[in-house]
């Protein structure tokens, strides 16, 4: 058995034979398989374990873009019977639209946002001088409720109801946004 110094010297000066340097095809295949497994599991951990956080980030970005746009909505109307039908044919399912004007949350219209590659309806309400974006996303059972309460200074309130994940986003005070969510949930579903 050569000493480690002799082995190191042999490697440094190219003294190892081809047999010791070239890995077998089985070792190469095993290393590729192991690399693929580690990469895919770490990708799942980063992406799959935090979809609620990623969705919150996307929806806050959509809300900010709407604030910067000349019009924050695609259809301007305070009438739910105008806003709800506008979504027909533009998205797979028409959203639940609730009139909260008597509670100081008037509807100002709606727009279509995109989450991933899915077009989703966003209803836009106003409270005082603040805009509230309420986006309805198909709920996935694997989403854990790790929704942040604030993202980039904007408050986020989320709930799931009847297979739909509702995301209310605004710079309005968190208590007011929670009141909005409570009123929306308590309103009867329109026919």
């Amino acid at each position: 058995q050569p000493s480690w110094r002799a082995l190191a010297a042999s490697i440094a000066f190219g003294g190892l034979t081809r047999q010791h340097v070239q890995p077998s095809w089985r070792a190469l295949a095993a290393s590729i398989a192991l690399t693929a497994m580690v990469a895919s599991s770490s990708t799942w951990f980063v992406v799959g374990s935090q979809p609620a956080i990623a969705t919150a980030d996307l929806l806050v970005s959509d809300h900010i873009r709407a604030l910067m746009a000349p019009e924050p909505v695609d259809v301007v109307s305070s009438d739910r019977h105008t806003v709800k039908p506008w979504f027909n044919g533009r998205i797979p399912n028409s959203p639940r639209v609730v009139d909260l004007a008597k509670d100081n949350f008037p509807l100002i219209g709606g727009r279509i946002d995109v989450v991933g590659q899915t077009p989703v309806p966003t209803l836009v309400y106003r409270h005082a001088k603040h805009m509230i974006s309420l986006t309805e996303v198909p709920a996935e059972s694997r989403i854990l409720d790790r929704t942040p309460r604030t993202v980039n200074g904007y408050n986020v309130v989320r709930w799931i109801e009847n297979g739909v994940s509702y995301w209310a986003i605004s710079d309005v005070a968190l208590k007011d946004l929670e009141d909005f969510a409570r009123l929306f949930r308590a309103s009867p579903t329109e026919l």
Side-chain angles (χ1 to χ4, degrees):
Q1 283 277 351
S3 71
W4 67 272
R5 286 185 182 157
L7 186 58
S10 176
I11 291 172
F13 296 110
L16 285 181
T17 63
R18 187 170 177 87
Q19 173 184 349
H20 290 86
V21 176
Q22 185 177 15
S24 72
W25 68 270
R26 287 183 181 155
L28 183 60
S31 67
I32 290 171
L34 180 63
T35 301
M37 240 176 19
V38 168
S40 66
S41 65
S42 62
T43 300
W44 176 87
F45 180 74
V46 170
V47 176
S49 67
Q50 299 185 1
I53 294 171
T55 301
D57 288 341
L58 286 171
L59 294 176
V60 167
S61 293
D62 288 342
H63 179 77
I64 293 169
R65 272 193 297 280
L67 289 172
M68 295 186 316
E71 269 306 320
V73 293
D74 296 329
V75 58
V76 179
S77 180
S78 61
D79 181 11
R80 68 182 178 159
H81 299 294
T82 300
V83 174
K84 184 177 177 76
W86 179 86
F87 287 101
N88 291 338
R90 290 178 170 88
I91 57 171
N93 297 313
S94 192
R96 178 176 180 222
V97 182
V98 174
D99 182 6
L100 298 174
K102 66 182 178 350
D103 298 304
N104 295 320
F105 294 102
L107 176 68
I108 61 170
R111 67 174 184 270
I112 295 177
D113 287 329
V114 178
V115 174
Q117 295 180 352
T118 306
V120 293
T122 298
L123 303 173
V124 182
Y125 291 85
R126 189 165 306 282
H127 183 67
K129 295 186 179 201
H130 301 274
M131 189 174 82
I132 298 171
S133 294
L134 179 64
T135 305
E136 300 180 19
V137 179
E140 296 182 22
S141 58
R142 68 186 176 112
I143 290 180
L144 302 174
D145 198 10
R146 292 186 186 160
T147 307
R149 302 287 283 176
T150 61
V151 175
N152 295 331
Y154 291 87
N155 292 314
V156 178
V157 174
R158 175 180 166 243
W159 70 94
I160 297 176
E161 185 178 300
N162 297 326
V164 177
S165 182
Y166 292 88
W167 296 79
I169 298 167
S170 181
D171 62 346
V172 72
L174 183 58
K175 182 197 176 306
D176 292 335
L177 193 59
E178 288 171 340
D179 287 345
F180 167 80
R182 181 184 47 76
L183 290 165
F184 190 94
R185 286 192 308 263
S187 295
T189 304
E190 73 279 355
L191 299 174

